[in-house]
Amino acid sequence: MVERSTSATTVTLLPGHSENSTEGGDPLASAMPDYDGKTLDAWFVADAVTDLPDDLEAVREMRKHLPEYDEGLRQYRLANRIELSFSTPDGRTIVTPSVARETNADEEPSYVGVEGEPGEENVVRDIVERDDLDWFDGEDKLRADVTNKRFESDVAREEVDGVEGVRAAVIFGGSDTYIEIMREKFYELGPIEFLETTGMDVEAVPAFIVQPPTMYTFLELAAMADGTTLARVWDVSPYPKHYLYVDERKRDETEFEEGGRLSGGEWRTNENANERFGQWVLEEQDLRSPFSPHTRAGYEHSVGHVSSVGSSPAMTHGEDGDDLTASAVASALPPLFPW
């Protein structure tokens, strides 16, 4: 009897340079729009790195420390993991298959002061300190969390060219807590007062209000009795940056368009701070998000169509086995939607 196991993990990073001005960082280095220092940059703190190590354990141990934080904060947003294991008596059939799924949905993130670094002027502080609005149940800060959403499949038994295997899938993501609160206050204050109070451009508001954008990954992992393995990330949110780790090692990653600097070195402001962020918000309104208000059938058609025309998943990594190839398994198995 041979024991086989494999794992795949997606990690979502919000790339950004150091924001700690006391240590030579730039307060606006968050890879998020700043809107002339009035709103968004104070609400979004980046992960203070622009890439992640090859070793997944090193990623788990990374911490950033900023003046407004009471404790070290992990340097990634989301972690979505599947681990498969089973026994095989002959390299063709499987017995006692099992699956473990793990996300960081239940990890408690650090508290963060909404106003940013001490002494930093920002109109967000004026909103938080108003006597007529209660943002955080009387507290002046909140845990910088995401509103998590998750779909998980059962263990699916598969067979490809006479070789048995198993696979599982997870869609995991969430919207930023501060976006959700901003949306709530938009309706509480009303559009006119909200814009006047925050100084926010009117073009920046509707996408947040209609549907807060979501960070997510759609991860699927298959393992066959002959040792073939295949990890596919069928879909990811357009923003920010995502990585695929298989058996604890970095195997693939998505592209990321970082907010540019002007010729003098300072960060761009207003809508040019990060063009990709604006696209992400707008794309949330169509069928491309599994958490959109549209039907699941619409999302399945969208993702399945990409697969059917031969385009690659967002990220993938496979290992050939004794009898099968990862390519053969990929051709035989369409997306496994975890509803």
Side-chain angles (χ1 to χ4, degrees):
M1 191 75 68
V2 175
E3 303 295 326
R4 298 197 187 279
S5 66
T6 187
S7 67
T9 305
T10 58
V11 178
T12 298
L13 172 72
L14 180 56
H17 303 271
S18 172
E19 298 178 48
N20 190 348
S21 59
T22 62
E23 301 294 334
D26 186 330
L28 303 183
S30 68
M32 285 292 192
D34 175 52
Y35 290 94
D36 287 328
K38 292 183 176 179
T39 301
L40 291 186
D41 186 73
W43 291 65
F44 294 89
V45 180
D47 292 323
V49 291
T50 57
D51 199 7
L52 291 178
D54 292 338
D55 180 18
L56 184 57
E57 186 58 34
V59 175
R60 296 188 182 106
E61 295 174 355
M62 292 170 58
R63 294 293 182 272
K64 65 181 177 185
H65 298 272
L66 297 175
E68 68 268 31
Y69 283 78
D70 298 328
E71 57 199 62
L73 184 64
R74 64 175 183 263
Q75 292 186 268
Y76 59 88
R77 298 292 149 138
L78 303 172
N80 185 10
R81 177 181 175 85
I82 300 173
E83 184 170 353
L84 297 174
S85 61
F86 56 84
S87 302
T88 176
D90 53 11
R92 305 285 294 181
T93 58
I94 63 172
V95 294
T96 61
S98 67
V99 60
R101 308 172 189 85
E102 180 182 355
T103 71
N104 63 324
D106 299 324
E107 292 182 15
E108 194 170 62
S110 298
Y111 281 106
V112 59
V114 179
E115 70 275 8
E117 292 187 26
E120 178 185 333
E121 293 185 5
N122 196 294
V123 76
V124 171
R125 184 189 295 110
D126 299 334
I127 307 172
V128 173
E129 293 179 350
R130 285 177 52 161
D131 295 332
D132 59 333
L133 292 174
D134 184 9
W135 286 71
F136 310 132
D137 297 326
E139 302 294 330
D140 61 356
K141 53 183 145 183
L142 180 75
R143 288 197 180 273
D145 203 354
V146 292
T147 304
N148 295 298
K149 306 171 184 178
R150 175 169 44 187
F151 301 108
E152 298 179 348
S153 75
D154 295 327
V155 179
R157 298 286 293 256
E158 306 288 358
E159 183 174 320
V160 177
D161 294 339
V163 179
E164 294 182 352
V166 294
R167 65 171 171 158
V170 177
I171 296 177
F172 173 61
S175 53
D176 189 278
T177 299
Y178 293 140
I179 295 182
E180 297 284 355
I181 294 174
M182 188 184 298
R183 181 175 185 266
E184 173 189 331
K185 297 307 173 185
F186 178 86
Y187 287 108
E188 185 173 333
L189 291 172
I192 295 176
E193 186 177 355
F194 181 88
L195 292 172
E196 290 177 348
T197 304
T198 63
M200 209 173 183
D201 292 338
V202 65
E203 295 84 0
V205 174
F208 287 109
I209 304 310
V210 173
Q211 181 70 25
T214 308
M215 302 178 189
Y216 67 87
T217 61
F218 175 2
L219 172 64
E220 178 192 282
L221 178 62
M224 310 303 293
D226 73 325
T228 305
T229 60
L230 177 63
R232 290 180 289 188
V233 183
W234 286 107
D235 187 33
V236 297
S237 56
Y239 193 92
K241 184 173 177 63
H242 309 275
Y243 296 83
L244 172 63
Y245 289 80
V246 178
D247 294 329
E248 306 291 293
R249 302 297 297 175
K250 186 196 297 184
R251 304 296 187 179
D252 203 353
E253 61 190 79
T254 62
E255 296 182 355
F256 178 79
E257 300 175 26
E258 185 181 359
R261 288 182 181 271
L262 301 175
S263 58
E266 68 273 18
W267 284 103
R268 294 175 178 174
T269 57
N270 290 330
E271 67 276 10
N272 293 323
N274 194 296
E275 297 84 350
R276 197 73 194 93
F277 175 79
Q279 294 174 34
W280 170 48
V281 172
L282 293 175
E283 288 169 4
E284 185 72 11
Q285 311 312 316
D286 64 19
L287 297 178
R288 293 298 303 153
S289 169
F291 307 118
S292 76
H294 302 283
T295 64
R296 292 177 179 175
Y299 179 72
E300 290 186 13
H301 175 76
S302 177
V303 173
H305 175 71
V306 171
S307 173
S308 66
V309 298
S311 300
S312 299
M315 295 182 287
T316 185
H317 178 78
E319 298 284 347
D320 296 341
D322 296 332
D323 299 305
L324 300 173
T325 64
S327 177
V329 173
S331 298
L333 302 180
L336 176 63
F337 291 96
W339 332 110

